Amino acid sequence: MFDTKSSFILSKLGIQRFQPQINDLNSEVLFGALWGSILTLLDKSFNELEENELNLLIKIIKSVGIDECEYPFAKEINNLNEIKKKPELIISFTDTKANFKKEFSPIIKSKSLSILLNSTEDKKKLWSKIKVYKDGASPS
């Protein structure tokens, strides 16, 4: 599109070619996907996930299922106002400091999917958090 020289000249004129994407939950712009009653917050658009990241995400969602229930993919979320019903669980795969109201709890925080793919230790931490959630969510 633009070569380096053109980009430099445009930057000196105060024209930015790209506007940085701010992923701040307070600005109501976010990347996420709603899976039945589970909301996943992502570090990039759902449509930009690589195949192996998507496969890992699906396995994580299925592991959360109580009594082997399925959580079908409902839709991509880019704004909290798109959520009509309170999610039962939020799994955050972002580094963003989420300041959700208490009505949105419980929240499981994890590393991004790209990090989880290559880190057995981070996967173990996530699975242990999911186990704690399931033990608390299941009737005893």
Side-chain angles (χ1 to χ4, degrees), residues 3 52 62 74 76 88 110 120 124:
D3 63 358
N52 53 0
K62 286 183 177 182
E76 183 172 7
E88 290 178 18
S110 176
T120 306
K124 287 179 183 177

Side-chain angles (χ1 to χ4, degrees), residues 87-114:
E88 290 178 18
L89 174 66
I90 297 174
I91 305 175
S92 177
F93 297 100
T94 67
D95 290 332
T96 306
K97 302 294 183 202
N99 292 324
F100 286 109
K101 299 173 187 168
K102 289 188 179 185
E103 68 218 33
F104 280 115
S105 61
I107 299 174
I108 295 176
K109 295 183 182 182
S110 176
K111 300 285 185 180
S112 69
L113 292 169
S114 58

Side-chain angles (χ1 to χ4, degrees), residues 116-129:
L116 286 175
L117 283 171
N118 301 313
S119 173
T120 306
E121 190 61 35
D122 288 321
K123 282 182 193 174
K124 287 179 183 177
K125 290 177 185 176
L126 175 59
W127 297 132
S128 66
K129 290 177 184 178

Side-chain angles (χ1 to χ4, degrees), residues 12-26:
K12 289 299 179 189
L13 294 172
I15 301 171
Q16 286 186 306
R17 285 182 32 213
F18 302 104
Q19 295 295 327
Q21 176 72 34
I22 299 173
N23 193 8
D24 179 12
L25 295 176
N26 294 330

Side-chain angles (χ1 to χ4, degrees), residues 28-51:
E28 297 183 5
V29 175
L30 60 99
F31 298 117
L34 194 59
W35 304 77
S37 60
I38 298 173
L39 174 63
T40 54
L41 300 177
L42 307 168
D43 60 345
K44 57 186 167 187
S45 170
F46 180 78
N47 295 322
E48 294 175 7
L49 291 176
E50 296 176 15
E51 185 177 349

